[in-house]
Amino acid sequence: MSTLEELIWLVPLLPLLSTLWIGAGFLAGWNRGEAGENESSKVAIITSLLSLLLIVAIDIKALIYGIDETIIVGNWFNSGMFSINLSFTLDTLGLLMTTLVATITLLTIRFSVNYLHREAGYQRFFMLLSMFSFAMLLIVSAGNIGILFVGWEVAGVSSYLLIAYNYNRNNATKNATQAIVTNRVGDASLLAAIFFSTLWLGTLEWSEMAASELLVSESGGMQLGLISFTLILAAFVKSAQIPFSPWITRALEGPTPSSSIFYGSLMIHAGVYLVLRLEPFIENSVTASWALLTIGGITAIYGYLSALVQTDIKSTLIFSTISQVGVMFVGCGLGWFETVTIYLILHAIWRSWQFLNAPAHMHSMSQPTAPAPIWLQRMQRLYAAAMQRFWLDQLTQWLLLRPTQRLSKDIHAFDSNVVRPIIGSSNEINVVSSLAEWEEKSAICDLESTSNSVPLGSGMFGSILQQIATLFKWIEEHLILKGGGDGMVSAIKGMESFINKVEQQLSMPRYLLLMIMATFVVIL
């Protein structure tokens, strides 16, 4: 029992192992189709159950015997006098939030077994749900901002992939793009907070930050304000506060279980959790308190008014959630941190149940949705603004999405008009094109009489590459292909087909994103 809390690292690791197992099984082919549904769901449920049992055991030990509030299981990064530990926090807030996340995750995964039965992408859904479970458990149990940032990013990626679950639908991909582009603002702000904390505090550990001399120093007002501002901005984006609220309403495109666990009960509260961790900073910063009061209050009113005019239950629930989370930020601004913690836990449980019950509620409805209240309908301008969601969607499109799309087009144009002409490459790439040309010409004349034409290059680099390509083409046609006979041609044709399929798969957004994730993991 003396080392039970030292196993806290297993709590987030077990869902990660589930993610890897389901993904590997799908790639290898042993859990595909309806026959593989049982294994995929069982692996996800068992790992989530083990995580919950372990954190409950740690809770019991903490109540009876008491435990250390910070557990360091290793070292992640060292540079001179600065280091980042693989640390976990087991204080009251950490234990409560970890238990909450593990419980709601397990119940949602179990609910999804029947809800997603025979759905295309069943295994992919459970893999992403396990990935999100790993991310949220890492966020709420992390002992420092560095570890929290890893969970923060993985939660964003899994959210993006689940919003685009039906990726063949244009709305799904557009809404997923809006969500991830908006969240990049919060991610950049969190990175800035890590930089400022490293520069001025010399640490990223929550316990050491709370005991920093900067909190009581009269000359540390600017540094304290910048650290608080960047962390609170990251919290505002993650919890969909004004003016970043529109992304979360678009996120409802994903399946209902993901809407419940992501936006109804867990991920939307990640920002509130981050602010709760900043209690010592907020208590020493009047500006931070006023920012929480102002933004939280405006968001609460926005969510309340918008919820009154919605005609479907999921939209009503999400606007109600936005409003309630705004109230939580107001509570933090007033210094009611313990009250907000209890409020967060109760709201997460209640909202999760409501979202999971939403499909059954929709099927049982026998009359139209109730209209907006009479008092709101009489205030025509306010009613129209609420119907338009106060035009925040259009504002987000103008400020975030359109600049991102234009930047993407500019990069593509630069690649097509500058980079490719310099290297002498055409804009269309045909895999093993010389083989196709050789087969076409061999039907007319002998191989030795064919011309050695290759695509024309431009510029100095293009001329050099053209000469090299001509040489390799002559070797290919006169030595390799001709010497190998029909067997060699057939083998290369098969290789061509395989390469084309791989190229098509890698060009799809979801595989590109997985490659980016793999690169991110290697860097870490």
Side-chain angles (χ1 to χ4, degrees):
M1 293 292 290
S2 61
T3 59
L4 180 62
E5 63 270 20
E6 295 178 2
L7 298 177
I8 183 64
W9 56 274
L10 281 173
V11 173
L13 180 64
L14 286 168
L16 178 61
L17 295 177
S18 171
T19 302
L20 298 175
W21 178 268
I22 297 173
F26 187 81
L27 292 176
W30 75 65
N31 66 355
R32 292 188 179 184
E34 186 177 344
E37 290 184 1
N38 188 42
E39 177 189 333
S40 300
S41 57
K42 278 187 176 180
V43 169
I45 290 173
I46 290 173
T47 52
S48 296
L49 178 61
L50 291 176
S51 291
L52 177 59
L53 293 177
L54 180 55
I55 191 60
V56 168
I58 295 175
D59 291 338
I60 295 173
K61 183 183 178 183
L63 288 172
I64 299 176
Y65 302 102
I67 58 175
D68 295 331
E69 291 189 352
T70 301
I71 301 296
I72 299 176
V73 298
N75 185 266
W76 179 17
F77 175 80
N78 273 314
S79 178
M81 299 295 293
F82 178 77
S83 66
I84 302 178
N85 293 319
L86 291 171
S87 61
F88 296 87
T89 181
L90 297 178
D91 58 0
T92 302
L93 178 60
L95 290 175
L96 284 173
M97 290 299 298
T98 305
T99 306
L100 173 72
V101 171
T103 303
I104 292 181
T105 299
L106 175 61
L107 295 176
T108 304
I109 291 176
R110 179 60 189 89
F111 174 87
S112 303
V113 173
N114 295 331
Y115 189 85
L116 271 295
H117 179 52
R118 291 182 177 176
E119 281 281 340
Y122 183 95
Q123 289 79 2
R124 173 162 49 90
F125 179 83
F126 279 87
M127 181 187 73
L128 294 175
L129 215 56
S130 297
M131 182 193 299
F132 174 75
S133 176
F134 156 73
M136 280 303 305
L137 288 170
L138 200 61
I139 289 173
V140 297
S141 64
N144 58 67
I145 310 180
I147 302 298
L148 179 141
F149 179 75
V150 176
W152 199 270
E153 287 298 291
V154 176
V157 170
S158 55
S159 172
Y160 168 78
L161 292 173
L162 277 172
I163 297 171
Y165 178 75
N166 296 311
Y167 55 85
N168 292 322
R169 297 175 55 183
N170 289 332
N171 282 340
T173 55
K174 288 181 180 178
N175 292 339
T177 300
Q178 179 168 345
I180 199 168
V181 168
T182 305
N183 274 275
R184 292 314 91 190
V185 178
D187 298 342
S189 185
L190 189 56
L191 277 176
I194 292 175
F195 171 76
F196 292 141
S197 299
T198 303
L199 181 65
W200 292 321
L201 302 179
T203 182
L204 297 178
E205 298 290 330
W206 289 124
S207 57
E208 296 177 2
M209 290 174 65
S212 172
E213 296 180 357
L214 187 67
L215 295 175
V216 295
S217 174
E218 295 181 358
S219 60
M222 184 191 72
Q223 292 92 329
L224 179 64
L226 277 175
I227 294 173
S228 302
F229 171 77
T230 49
L231 288 171
I232 290 174
L233 178 59
F236 283 159
V237 178
K238 206 69 165 181
S239 291
Q241 299 296 285
I242 295 287
F244 307 104
S245 303
W247 77 263
I248 203 164
T249 58
R250 303 277 183 168
L252 297 178
E253 185 71 29
T256 293
S258 64
S259 298
S260 168
I261 195 171
F262 278 77
Y263 320 114
S265 59
L266 295 183
M267 196 171 82
I268 194 171
H269 294 104
V272 181
Y273 167 79
L274 181 58
V275 171
L276 291 173
R277 280 284 171 212
L278 297 177
E279 178 179 351
F281 288 81
I282 296 171
E283 289 177 343
N284 288 275
S285 176
V286 177
T287 303
S289 298
W290 275 107
L292 291 170
L293 285 170
T294 303
I295 300 299
I298 294 174
T299 305
I301 297 172
Y302 160 78
Y304 168 70
L305 293 174
S306 299
L308 293 177
V309 299
Q310 301 304 309
T311 56
D312 67 281
I313 185 170
K314 287 179 70 175
S315 295
T316 303
L317 288 175
I318 200 62
F319 277 108
S320 177
T321 300
I322 293 172
S323 178
Q324 295 300 314
V325 173
V327 173
M328 294 179 199
F329 280 112
V330 171
C332 291
L334 294 172
W336 302 342
F337 294 98
E338 292 183 1
T339 303
V340 169
T341 301
I342 298 172
Y343 185 17
L344 186 159
I345 293 172
L346 295 177
H347 179 260
I349 295 171
W350 172 245
R351 196 65 75 192
S352 176
W353 179 85
Q354 285 184 313
F355 265 99
L356 293 178
N357 192 54
H361 179 75
M362 293 170 65
H363 283 290
S364 63
M365 288 182 64
S366 57
Q367 58 186 8
T369 305
I374 299 298
W375 65 265
L376 182 58
Q377 295 184 38
R378 288 174 179 173
M379 305 173 67
Q380 295 184 2
R381 292 184 179 180
L382 183 61
Y383 179 72
M387 287 291 292
Q388 294 297 325
R389 301 180 178 183
F390 295 88
W391 297 278
L392 281 182
D393 288 79
Q394 293 86 336
L395 182 64
T396 302
Q397 289 276 346
W398 181 63
L399 290 178
L400 294 176
L401 290 186
R402 289 181 182 175
T404 303
Q405 292 171 347
R406 288 170 184 169
L407 177 61
S408 176
K409 291 179 180 179
D410 290 342
I411 293 175
H412 178 72
F414 179 80
D415 180 65
S416 300
N417 299 322
V418 178
V419 177
R420 291 186 182 277
I422 290 177
I423 65 174
S425 174
S426 62
N427 290 330
E428 296 183 359
I429 300 176
N430 297 317
V431 180
V432 202
S433 59
S434 60
L435 174 61
E437 292 176 6
W438 175 79
E439 288 180 324
E440 182 180 355
K441 293 175 183 177
S442 64
I444 302 174
C445 60
D446 188 74
L447 286 173
E448 294 181 351
S449 64
T450 57
S451 61
N452 295 326
S453 60
V454 295
L456 296 178
S458 60
M460 180 181 66
F461 292 104
S463 299
I464 295 174
L465 291 175
Q466 181 181 351
Q467 296 300 322
I468 296 174
T470 301
L471 175 61
F472 277 109
K473 182 178 180 180
W474 185 90
I475 295 174
E476 178 187 45
E477 292 182 353
H478 290 77
L479 299 179
I480 299 176
L481 296 179
K482 190 173 181 180
D486 294 337
M488 178 68 75
V489 174
S490 300
I492 295 180
K493 284 187 65 177
M495 186 181 298
E496 174 189 5
S497 176
F498 174 76
I499 292 174
N500 278 321
K501 289 180 180 179
V502 171
E503 182 185 24
Q504 292 172 1
Q505 292 295 321
L506 292 179
S507 66
M508 298 180 72
R510 61 183 187 276
Y511 290 100
L512 178 60
L513 190 57
L514 289 176
M515 292 175 67
I516 295 173
M517 290 173 56
T519 305
F520 177 68
V521 171
V522 171
I523 293 174
L524 293 178

